[in-house]
Amino acid sequence: MPARTLHQPRPLAMVRDPDGEAMSWSELERLVDDAEGEGSLRRALRHCRSQQELVLAGRRLGYRITRVDLQRAWLLHCRQEPLQQRG
């Protein structure tokens, strides 16, 4: 009898950031969108005290994000913030 899995992860949708690096950006966007729309998810994620805790919590919830995704997202955010303040 084959092993049964509780969750079949979605395939990663690979996109490229402005530096040309492949990343699972769509999964991170999906997590952010879902957290913005669902108070219970947002509260659960707020309890995470480190990137590692956030990645593990996201994975438990079925989002295939990595530590590298979070780091790249933070770098992109930091690059865009000064541009938004000027404009």
Side-chain angles (χ1 to χ4, degrees), residues 26-48:
S26 64
E27 285 293 296
L28 187 57
E29 283 182 329
R30 188 169 68 92
L31 173 60
V32 171
D33 289 343
D34 290 352
E36 287 176 346
E38 298 176 30
S40 60
L41 177 57
R42 187 170 45 252
R43 282 188 297 279
L45 295 175
R46 267 195 199 132
H47 291 289
C48 297

mmCIF file with all atom_site columns, all heavy atoms in Angstrom, residues 26-48:
data_model
loop_
_atom_site.group_PDB
_atom_site.id
_atom_site.type_symbol
_atom_site.label_atom_id
_atom_site.label_alt_id
_atom_site.label_comp_id
_atom_site.label_asym_id
_atom_site.label_entity_id
_atom_site.label_seq_id
_atom_site.pdbx_PDB_ins_code
_atom_site.Cartn_x
_atom_site.Cartn_y
_atom_site.Cartn_z
_atom_site.occupancy
_atom_site.B_iso_or_equiv
_atom_site.pdbx_formal_charge
_atom_site.auth_seq_id
_atom_site.auth_comp_id
_atom_site.auth_asym_id
_atom_site.auth_atom_id
_atom_site.pdbx_PDB_model_num
ATOM 1   N N   . SER A 1 26 ? 5.747  33.678 -5.965 1.00 0.00 ? 26 SER A N   1
ATOM 2   C CA  . SER A 1 26 ? 4.290  33.551 -5.935 1.00 0.00 ? 26 SER A CA  1
ATOM 3   C C   . SER A 1 26 ? 3.815  32.932 -4.618 1.00 0.00 ? 26 SER A C   1
ATOM 4   O O   . SER A 1 26 ? 2.750  33.293 -4.113 1.00 0.00 ? 26 SER A O   1
ATOM 5   C CB  . SER A 1 26 ? 3.776  32.743 -7.122 1.00 0.00 ? 26 SER A CB  1
ATOM 6   O OG  . SER A 1 26 ? 4.246  31.424 -7.064 1.00 0.00 ? 26 SER A OG  1
ATOM 7   N N   . GLU A 1 27 ? 4.592  32.021 -4.060 1.00 0.00 ? 27 GLU A N   1
ATOM 8   C CA  . GLU A 1 27 ? 4.220  31.422 -2.774 1.00 0.00 ? 27 GLU A CA  1
ATOM 9   C C   . GLU A 1 27 ? 4.294  32.453 -1.657 1.00 0.00 ? 27 GLU A C   1
ATOM 10  O O   . GLU A 1 27 ? 3.421  32.507 -0.794 1.00 0.00 ? 27 GLU A O   1
ATOM 11  C CB  . GLU A 1 27 ? 5.131  30.238 -2.442 1.00 0.00 ? 27 GLU A CB  1
ATOM 12  C CG  . GLU A 1 27 ? 4.829  29.004 -3.234 1.00 0.00 ? 27 GLU A CG  1
ATOM 13  C CD  . GLU A 1 27 ? 3.473  28.413 -2.881 1.00 0.00 ? 27 GLU A CD  1
ATOM 14  O OE1 . GLU A 1 27 ? 3.284  27.977 -1.732 1.00 0.00 ? 27 GLU A OE1 1
ATOM 15  O OE2 . GLU A 1 27 ? 2.609  28.380 -3.765 1.00 0.00 ? 27 GLU A OE2 1
ATOM 16  N N   . LEU A 1 28 ? 5.320  33.270 -1.673 1.00 0.00 ? 28 LEU A N   1
ATOM 17  C CA  . LEU A 1 28 ? 5.452  34.313 -0.660 1.00 0.00 ? 28 LEU A CA  1
ATOM 18  C C   . LEU A 1 28 ? 4.336  35.344 -0.817 1.00 0.00 ? 28 LEU A C   1
ATOM 19  O O   . LEU A 1 28 ? 3.727  35.773 0.171  1.00 0.00 ? 28 LEU A O   1
ATOM 20  C CB  . LEU A 1 28 ? 6.823  34.968 -0.754 1.00 0.00 ? 28 LEU A CB  1
ATOM 21  C CG  . LEU A 1 28 ? 7.181  35.971 0.327  1.00 0.00 ? 28 LEU A CG  1
ATOM 22  C CD1 . LEU A 1 28 ? 7.075  35.346 1.714  1.00 0.00 ? 28 LEU A CD1 1
ATOM 23  C CD2 . LEU A 1 28 ? 8.579  36.518 0.092  1.00 0.00 ? 28 LEU A CD2 1
ATOM 24  N N   . GLU A 1 29 ? 4.035  35.722 -2.050 1.00 0.00 ? 29 GLU A N   1
ATOM 25  C CA  . GLU A 1 29 ? 2.925  36.655 -2.298 1.00 0.00 ? 29 GLU A CA  1
ATOM 26  C C   . GLU A 1 29 ? 1.603  36.066 -1.819 1.00 0.00 ? 29 GLU A C   1
ATOM 27  O O   . GLU A 1 29 ? 0.779  36.770 -1.241 1.00 0.00 ? 29 GLU A O   1
ATOM 28  C CB  . GLU A 1 29 ? 2.826  36.986 -3.785 1.00 0.00 ? 29 GLU A CB  1
ATOM 29  C CG  . GLU A 1 29 ? 3.862  37.956 -4.261 1.00 0.00 ? 29 GLU A CG  1
ATOM 30  C CD  . GLU A 1 29 ? 3.695  38.290 -5.719 1.00 0.00 ? 29 GLU A CD  1
ATOM 31  O OE1 . GLU A 1 29 ? 3.221  37.424 -6.498 1.00 0.00 ? 29 GLU A OE1 1
ATOM 32  O OE2 . GLU A 1 29 ? 4.032  39.421 -6.096 1.00 0.00 ? 29 GLU A OE2 1
ATOM 33  N N   . ARG A 1 30 ? 1.410  34.792 -2.056 1.00 0.00 ? 30 ARG A N   1
ATOM 34  C CA  . ARG A 1 30 ? 0.173  34.130 -1.638 1.00 0.00 ? 30 ARG A CA  1
ATOM 35  C C   . ARG A 1 30 ? 0.052  34.141 -0.116 1.00 0.00 ? 30 ARG A C   1
ATOM 36  O O   . ARG A 1 30 ? -1.028 34.421 0.429  1.00 0.00 ? 30 ARG A O   1
ATOM 37  C CB  . ARG A 1 30 ? 0.156  32.695 -2.177 1.00 0.00 ? 30 ARG A CB  1
ATOM 38  C CG  . ARG A 1 30 ? -1.157 31.965 -1.986 1.00 0.00 ? 30 ARG A CG  1
ATOM 39  C CD  . ARG A 1 30 ? -1.177 30.658 -2.768 1.00 0.00 ? 30 ARG A CD  1
ATOM 40  N NE  . ARG A 1 30 ? -0.253 29.679 -2.245 1.00 0.00 ? 30 ARG A NE  1
ATOM 41  C CZ  . ARG A 1 30 ? -0.570 28.748 -1.338 1.00 0.00 ? 30 ARG A CZ  1
ATOM 42  N NH1 . ARG A 1 30 ? -1.797 28.692 -0.854 1.00 0.00 ? 30 ARG A NH1 1
ATOM 43  N NH2 . ARG A 1 30 ? 0.330  27.886 -0.927 1.00 0.00 ? 30 ARG A NH2 1
ATOM 44  N N   . LEU A 1 31 ? 1.152  33.872 0.574  1.00 0.00 ? 31 LEU A N   1
ATOM 45  C CA  . LEU A 1 31 ? 1.143  33.910 2.035  1.00 0.00 ? 31 LEU A CA  1
ATOM 46  C C   . LEU A 1 31 ? 0.797  35.313 2.534  1.00 0.00 ? 31 LEU A C   1
ATOM 47  O O   . LEU A 1 31 ? -0.041 35.482 3.417  1.00 0.00 ? 31 LEU A O   1
ATOM 48  C CB  . LEU A 1 31 ? 2.499  33.465 2.591  1.00 0.00 ? 31 LEU A CB  1
ATOM 49  C CG  . LEU A 1 31 ? 2.698  33.604 4.103  1.00 0.00 ? 31 LEU A CG  1
ATOM 50  C CD1 . LEU A 1 31 ? 1.674  32.769 4.863  1.00 0.00 ? 31 LEU A CD1 1
ATOM 51  C CD2 . LEU A 1 31 ? 4.110  33.209 4.489  1.00 0.00 ? 31 LEU A CD2 1
ATOM 52  N N   . VAL A 1 32 ? 1.418  36.326 1.954  1.00 0.00 ? 32 VAL A N   1
ATOM 53  C CA  . VAL A 1 32 ? 1.146  37.709 2.365  1.00 0.00 ? 32 VAL A CA  1
ATOM 54  C C   . VAL A 1 32 ? -0.310 38.079 2.080  1.00 0.00 ? 32 VAL A C   1
ATOM 55  O O   . VAL A 1 32 ? -0.996 38.632 2.945  1.00 0.00 ? 32 VAL A O   1
ATOM 56  C CB  . VAL A 1 32 ? 2.114  38.683 1.659  1.00 0.00 ? 32 VAL A CB  1
ATOM 57  C CG1 . VAL A 1 32 ? 1.705  40.136 1.889  1.00 0.00 ? 32 VAL A CG1 1
ATOM 58  C CG2 . VAL A 1 32 ? 3.541  38.452 2.141  1.00 0.00 ? 32 VAL A CG2 1
ATOM 59  N N   . ASP A 1 33 ? -0.790 37.756 0.888  1.00 0.00 ? 33 ASP A N   1
ATOM 60  C CA  . ASP A 1 33 ? -2.187 38.062 0.543  1.00 0.00 ? 33 ASP A CA  1
ATOM 61  C C   . ASP A 1 33 ? -3.162 37.376 1.494  1.00 0.00 ? 33 ASP A C   1
ATOM 62  O O   . ASP A 1 33 ? -4.115 37.988 1.963  1.00 0.00 ? 33 ASP A O   1
ATOM 63  C CB  . ASP A 1 33 ? -2.501 37.645 -0.897 1.00 0.00 ? 33 ASP A CB  1
ATOM 64  C CG  . ASP A 1 33 ? -1.835 38.527 -1.932 1.00 0.00 ? 33 ASP A CG  1
ATOM 65  O OD1 . ASP A 1 33 ? -1.395 39.643 -1.575 1.00 0.00 ? 33 ASP A OD1 1
ATOM 66  O OD2 . ASP A 1 33 ? -1.756 38.102 -3.100 1.00 0.00 ? 33 ASP A OD2 1
ATOM 67  N N   . ASP A 1 34 ? -2.904 36.104 1.777  1.00 0.00 ? 34 ASP A N   1
ATOM 68  C CA  . ASP A 1 34 ? -3.789 35.363 2.676  1.00 0.00 ? 34 ASP A CA  1
ATOM 69  C C   . ASP A 1 34 ? -3.748 35.934 4.086  1.00 0.00 ? 34 ASP A C   1
ATOM 70  O O   . ASP A 1 34 ? -4.780 36.072 4.746  1.00 0.00 ? 34 ASP A O   1
ATOM 71  C CB  . ASP A 1 34 ? -3.418 33.876 2.700  1.00 0.00 ? 34 ASP A CB  1
ATOM 72  C CG  . ASP A 1 34 ? -3.743 33.163 1.398  1.00 0.00 ? 34 ASP A CG  1
ATOM 73  O OD1 . ASP A 1 34 ? -4.399 33.767 0.522  1.00 0.00 ? 34 ASP A OD1 1
ATOM 74  O OD2 . ASP A 1 34 ? -3.328 31.993 1.256  1.00 0.00 ? 34 ASP A OD2 1
ATOM 75  N N   . ALA A 1 35 ? -2.553 36.301 4.552  1.00 0.00 ? 35 ALA A N   1
ATOM 76  C CA  . ALA A 1 35 ? -2.422 36.873 5.903  1.00 0.00 ? 35 ALA A CA  1
ATOM 77  C C   . ALA A 1 35 ? -3.113 38.231 5.992  1.00 0.00 ? 35 ALA A C   1
ATOM 78  O O   . ALA A 1 35 ? -3.720 38.557 7.018  1.00 0.00 ? 35 ALA A O   1
ATOM 79  C CB  . ALA A 1 35 ? -0.950 36.994 6.282  1.00 0.00 ? 35 ALA A CB  1
ATOM 80  N N   . GLU A 1 36 ? -3.046 39.013 4.921  1.00 0.00 ? 36 GLU A N   1
ATOM 81  C CA  . GLU A 1 36 ? -3.725 40.312 4.923  1.00 0.00 ? 36 GLU A CA  1
ATOM 82  C C   . GLU A 1 36 ? -5.236 40.150 4.959  1.00 0.00 ? 36 GLU A C   1
ATOM 83  O O   . GLU A 1 36 ? -5.943 40.983 5.501  1.00 0.00 ? 36 GLU A O   1
ATOM 84  C CB  . GLU A 1 36 ? -3.307 41.133 3.706  1.00 0.00 ? 36 GLU A CB  1
ATOM 85  C CG  . GLU A 1 36 ? -1.897 41.671 3.815  1.00 0.00 ? 36 GLU A CG  1
ATOM 86  C CD  . GLU A 1 36 ? -1.436 42.402 2.568  1.00 0.00 ? 36 GLU A CD  1
ATOM 87  O OE1 . GLU A 1 36 ? -2.100 42.277 1.501  1.00 0.00 ? 36 GLU A OE1 1
ATOM 88  O OE2 . GLU A 1 36 ? -0.407 43.090 2.643  1.00 0.00 ? 36 GLU A OE2 1
ATOM 89  N N   . GLY A 1 37 ? -5.733 39.063 4.398  1.00 0.00 ? 37 GLY A N   1
ATOM 90  C CA  . GLY A 1 37 ? -7.170 38.849 4.330  1.00 0.00 ? 37 GLY A CA  1
ATOM 91  C C   . GLY A 1 37 ? -7.758 38.034 5.470  1.00 0.00 ? 37 GLY A C   1
ATOM 92  O O   . GLY A 1 37 ? -8.974 38.045 5.668  1.00 0.00 ? 37 GLY A O   1
ATOM 93  N N   . GLU A 1 38 ? -6.930 37.319 6.197  1.00 0.00 ? 38 GLU A N   1
ATOM 94  C CA  . GLU A 1 38 ? -7.425 36.435 7.261  1.00 0.00 ? 38 GLU A CA  1
ATOM 95  C C   . GLU A 1 38 ? -6.788 36.807 8.589  1.00 0.00 ? 38 GLU A C   1
ATOM 96  O O   . GLU A 1 38 ? -5.595 36.597 8.805  1.00 0.00 ? 38 GLU A O   1
ATOM 97  C CB  . GLU A 1 38 ? -7.083 34.976 6.944  1.00 0.00 ? 38 GLU A CB  1
ATOM 98  C CG  . GLU A 1 38 ? -7.726 34.457 5.675  1.00 0.00 ? 38 GLU A CG  1
ATOM 99  C CD  . GLU A 1 38 ? -7.276 33.040 5.365  1.00 0.00 ? 38 GLU A CD  1
ATOM 100 O OE1 . GLU A 1 38 ? -6.979 32.282 6.301  1.00 0.00 ? 38 GLU A OE1 1
ATOM 101 O OE2 . GLU A 1 38 ? -7.222 32.717 4.171  1.00 0.00 ? 38 GLU A OE2 1
ATOM 102 N N   . GLY A 1 39 ? -7.599 37.330 9.484  1.00 0.00 ? 39 GLY A N   1
ATOM 103 C CA  . GLY A 1 39 ? -7.108 37.756 10.787 1.00 0.00 ? 39 GLY A CA  1
ATOM 104 C C   . GLY A 1 39 ? -6.471 36.648 11.592 1.00 0.00 ? 39 GLY A C   1
ATOM 105 O O   . GLY A 1 39 ? -5.461 36.851 12.268 1.00 0.00 ? 39 GLY A O   1
ATOM 106 N N   . SER A 1 40 ? -7.036 35.447 11.527 1.00 0.00 ? 40 SER A N   1
ATOM 107 C CA  . SER A 1 40 ? -6.486 34.337 12.316 1.00 0.00 ? 40 SER A CA  1
ATOM 108 C C   . SER A 1 40 ? -5.088 33.951 11.822 1.00 0.00 ? 40 SER A C   1
ATOM 109 O O   . SER A 1 40 ? -4.202 33.668 12.621 1.00 0.00 ? 40 SER A O   1
ATOM 110 C CB  . SER A 1 40 ? -7.422 33.133 12.272 1.00 0.00 ? 40 SER A CB  1
ATOM 111 O OG  . SER A 1 40 ? -7.596 32.691 10.945 1.00 0.00 ? 40 SER A OG  1
ATOM 112 N N   . LEU A 1 41 ? -4.887 33.967 10.514 1.00 0.00 ? 41 LEU A N   1
ATOM 113 C CA  . LEU A 1 41 ? -3.570 33.663 9.959  1.00 0.00 ? 41 LEU A CA  1
ATOM 114 C C   . LEU A 1 41 ? -2.582 34.761 10.339 1.00 0.00 ? 41 LEU A C   1
ATOM 115 O O   . LEU A 1 41 ? -1.448 34.492 10.737 1.00 0.00 ? 41 LEU A O   1
ATOM 116 C CB  . LEU A 1 41 ? -3.649 33.511 8.437  1.00 0.00 ? 41 LEU A CB  1
ATOM 117 C CG  . LEU A 1 41 ? -2.339 33.258 7.691  1.00 0.00 ? 41 LEU A CG  1
ATOM 118 C CD1 . LEU A 1 41 ? -1.636 32.011 8.212  1.00 0.00 ? 41 LEU A CD1 1
ATOM 119 C CD2 . LEU A 1 41 ? -2.604 33.135 6.202  1.00 0.00 ? 41 LEU A CD2 1
ATOM 120 N N   . ARG A 1 42 ? -3.015 35.995 10.235 1.00 0.00 ? 42 ARG A N   1
ATOM 121 C CA  . ARG A 1 42 ? -2.163 37.131 10.588 1.00 0.00 ? 42 ARG A CA  1
ATOM 122 C C   . ARG A 1 42 ? -1.727 37.040 12.062 1.00 0.00 ? 42 ARG A C   1
ATOM 123 O O   . ARG A 1 42 ? -0.558 37.219 12.380 1.00 0.00 ? 42 ARG A O   1
ATOM 124 C CB  . ARG A 1 42 ? -2.905 38.437 10.318 1.00 0.00 ? 42 ARG A CB  1
ATOM 125 C CG  . ARG A 1 42 ? -2.093 39.672 10.480 1.00 0.00 ? 42 ARG A CG  1
ATOM 126 C CD  . ARG A 1 42 ? -2.793 40.933 9.979  1.00 0.00 ? 42 ARG A CD  1
ATOM 127 N NE  . ARG A 1 42 ? -4.179 41.064 10.387 1.00 0.00 ? 42 ARG A NE  1
ATOM 128 C CZ  . ARG A 1 42 ? -5.220 40.910 9.569  1.00 0.00 ? 42 ARG A CZ  1
ATOM 129 N NH1 . ARG A 1 42 ? -5.044 40.611 8.298  1.00 0.00 ? 42 ARG A NH1 1
ATOM 130 N NH2 . ARG A 1 42 ? -6.455 41.047 10.015 1.00 0.00 ? 42 ARG A NH2 1
ATOM 131 N N   . ARG A 1 43 ? -2.667 36.725 12.951 1.00 0.00 ? 43 ARG A N   1
ATOM 132 C CA  . ARG A 1 43 ? -2.334 36.590 14.375 1.00 0.00 ? 43 ARG A CA  1
ATOM 133 C C   . ARG A 1 43 ? -1.353 35.449 14.608 1.00 0.00 ? 43 ARG A C   1
ATOM 134 O O   . ARG A 1 43 ? -0.418 35.579 15.404 1.00 0.00 ? 43 ARG A O   1
ATOM 135 C CB  . ARG A 1 43 ? -3.602 36.389 15.198 1.00 0.00 ? 43 ARG A CB  1
ATOM 136 C CG  . ARG A 1 43 ? -4.373 37.674 15.422 1.00 0.00 ? 43 ARG A CG  1
ATOM 137 C CD  . ARG A 1 43 ? -5.519 37.476 16.395 1.00 0.00 ? 43 ARG A CD  1
ATOM 138 N NE  . ARG A 1 43 ? -6.539 36.534 15.908 1.00 0.00 ? 43 ARG A NE  1
ATOM 139 C CZ  . ARG A 1 43 ? -7.503 36.846 15.061 1.00 0.00 ? 43 ARG A CZ  1
ATOM 140 N NH1 . ARG A 1 43 ? -7.609 38.072 14.601 1.00 0.00 ? 43 ARG A NH1 1
ATOM 141 N NH2 . ARG A 1 43 ? -8.385 35.941 14.678 1.00 0.00 ? 43 ARG A NH2 1
ATOM 142 N N   . ALA A 1 44 ? -1.556 34.342 13.924 1.00 0.00 ? 44 ALA A N   1
ATOM 143 C CA  . ALA A 1 44 ? -0.650 33.199 14.086 1.00 0.00 ? 44 ALA A CA  1
ATOM 144 C C   . ALA A 1 44 ? 0.765  33.544 13.629 1.00 0.00 ? 44 ALA A C   1
ATOM 145 O O   . ALA A 1 44 ? 1.745  33.190 14.288 1.00 0.00 ? 44 ALA A O   1
ATOM 146 C CB  . ALA A 1 44 ? -1.177 31.999 13.305 1.00 0.00 ? 44 ALA A CB  1
ATOM 147 N N   . LEU A 1 45 ? 0.884  34.259 12.524 1.00 0.00 ? 45 LEU A N   1
ATOM 148 C CA  . LEU A 1 45 ? 2.205  34.611 12.000 1.00 0.00 ? 45 LEU A CA  1
ATOM 149 C C   . LEU A 1 45 ? 2.892  35.675 12.849 1.00 0.00 ? 45 LEU A C   1
ATOM 150 O O   . LEU A 1 45 ? 4.117  35.726 12.913 1.00 0.00 ? 45 LEU A O   1
ATOM 151 C CB  . LEU A 1 45 ? 2.098  35.062 10.545 1.00 0.00 ? 45 LEU A CB  1
ATOM 152 C CG  . LEU A 1 45 ? 1.648  33.987 9.551  1.00 0.00 ? 45 LEU A CG  1
ATOM 153 C CD1 . LEU A 1 45 ? 1.471  34.580 8.173  1.00 0.00 ? 45 LEU A CD1 1
ATOM 154 C CD2 . LEU A 1 45 ? 2.614  32.815 9.535  1.00 0.00 ? 45 LEU A CD2 1
ATOM 155 N N   . ARG A 1 46 ? 2.116  36.518 13.516 1.00 0.00 ? 46 ARG A N   1
ATOM 156 C CA  . ARG A 1 46 ? 2.706  37.545 14.374 1.00 0.00 ? 46 ARG A CA  1
ATOM 157 C C   . ARG A 1 46 ? 3.473  36.961 15.541 1.00 0.00 ? 46 ARG A C   1
ATOM 158 O O   . ARG A 1 46 ? 4.346  37.610 16.099 1.00 0.00 ? 46 ARG A O   1
ATOM 159 C CB  . ARG A 1 46 ? 1.604  38.459 14.928 1.00 0.00 ? 46 ARG A CB  1
ATOM 160 C CG  . ARG A 1 46 ? 1.387  39.644 14.085 1.00 0.00 ? 46 ARG A CG  1
ATOM 161 C CD  . ARG A 1 46 ? 0.589  40.687 14.840 1.00 0.00 ? 46 ARG A CD  1
ATOM 162 N NE  . ARG A 1 46 ? 0.027  41.581 13.848 1.00 0.00 ? 46 ARG A NE  1
ATOM 163 C CZ  . ARG A 1 46 ? -1.211 41.974 13.796 1.00 0.00 ? 46 ARG A CZ  1
ATOM 164 N NH1 . ARG A 1 46 ? -2.069 41.591 14.711 1.00 0.00 ? 46 ARG A NH1 1
ATOM 165 N NH2 . ARG A 1 46 ? -1.622 42.772 12.848 1.00 0.00 ? 46 ARG A NH2 1
ATOM 166 N N   . HIS A 1 47 ? 3.159  35.743 15.927 1.00 0.00 ? 47 HIS A N   1
ATOM 167 C CA  . HIS A 1 47 ? 3.844  35.097 17.039 1.00 0.00 ? 47 HIS A CA  1
ATOM 168 C C   . HIS A 1 47 ? 5.237  34.609 16.655 1.00 0.00 ? 47 HIS A C   1
ATOM 169 O O   . HIS A 1 47 ? 6.030  34.260 17.525 1.00 0.00 ? 47 HIS A O   1
ATOM 170 C CB  . HIS A 1 47 ? 3.014  33.939 17.595 1.00 0.00 ? 47 HIS A CB  1
ATOM 171 C CG  . HIS A 1 47 ? 1.778  34.401 18.292 1.00 0.00 ? 47 HIS A CG  1
ATOM 172 N ND1 . HIS A 1 47 ? 1.806  35.048 19.501 1.00 0.00 ? 47 HIS A ND1 1
ATOM 173 C CD2 . HIS A 1 47 ? 0.479  34.349 17.929 1.00 0.00 ? 47 HIS A CD2 1
ATOM 174 C CE1 . HIS A 1 47 ? 0.569  35.355 19.870 1.00 0.00 ? 47 HIS A CE1 1
ATOM 175 N NE2 . HIS A 1 47 ? -0.251 34.943 18.926 1.00 0.00 ? 47 HIS A NE2 1
ATOM 176 N N   . CYS A 1 48 ? 5.538  34.591 15.378 1.00 0.00 ? 48 CYS A N   1
ATOM 177 C CA  . CYS A 1 48 ? 6.864  34.157 14.934 1.00 0.00 ? 48 CYS A CA  1
ATOM 178 C C   . CYS A 1 48 ? 7.887  35.219 15.311 1.00 0.00 ? 48 CYS A C   1
ATOM 179 O O   . CYS A 1 48 ? 7.695  36.395 15.032 1.00 0.00 ? 48 CYS A O   1
ATOM 180 C CB  . CYS A 1 48 ? 6.882  33.938 13.418 1.00 0.00 ? 48 CYS A CB  1
ATOM 181 S SG  . CYS A 1 48 ? 5.766  32.639 12.876 1.00 0.00 ? 48 CYS A SG  1
#
